[in-house]
Amino acid sequence: MTTPVCTSASDAAAPATQTLLYASFSSYMRARQPVLLRTARSLTGNPSDAEDLLQTALAKTYVAWERIEDHRALDGYVRRALVNTRTSQWRKRKVDEFACDELPEPDPVPGRDDPAEQQALRDAMWRAVMRLPARQRAMVVLRYYEDLSEAQTAEVLGVSVGTVKSAVSRALGKLREDAELGLVRN
């Protein structure tokens, strides 16, 4: 025979609160995952490691979800969790070094650029973006680096969607004509 258990009103409300927390966290995660994944990729250099890093940081964020007072600063909180988690991983890693006669270089994969060339192209792209006028630069960064839609970019900058479209189009034209980018791509 089982004994009836009395639950208080606060215990009965706990599952409903957890459901609301999960829903708000879930919607945040779905909306911001692509941007946060790019941040994780910049910290790891490996897409698989970046996904693991983001998953760990989001798990830490979920645990602290109730304690985060300003939900406008969530991206900063998650980015800090990404950096701290990556730093902890880096400190814990074990490095094995073995002396050998030949360097174990991987075979080049056809169709993939050299990582040094990719980095040179990224650096040249940032320098070209920095040469754009401030307004066009802001729109390009919001649109392509922060992955905002045209409407979201317009809202952030307080301009119309048509203004964003035309300014981004002009900025992309300038980037296509940039001499330094042309030298790096060829």
Side-chain angles (χ1 to χ4, degrees), residues 2 23 39 47 56 92 114 118 128 139 154 164 168:
T2 60
T39 303
T56 303
K92 291 178 186 176
D114 180 25
Q118 290 177 353
M139 290 182 190
V164 171
V168 167

Side-chain angles (χ1 to χ4, degrees), residues 37-55:
L37 185 58
R38 277 196 301 276
T39 303
R41 282 188 183 144
S42 70
L43 292 170
T44 61
N46 179 341
S48 299
D49 290 342
E51 290 172 359
D52 290 343
L53 177 63
L54 180 60
Q55 182 177 5

Side-chain angles (χ1 to χ4, degrees), residues 6-19 21 66:
C6 292
T7 59
S8 67
S10 63
D11 291 342
T17 305
Q18 290 295 335
T19 303
L21 288 175
E66 290 178 320

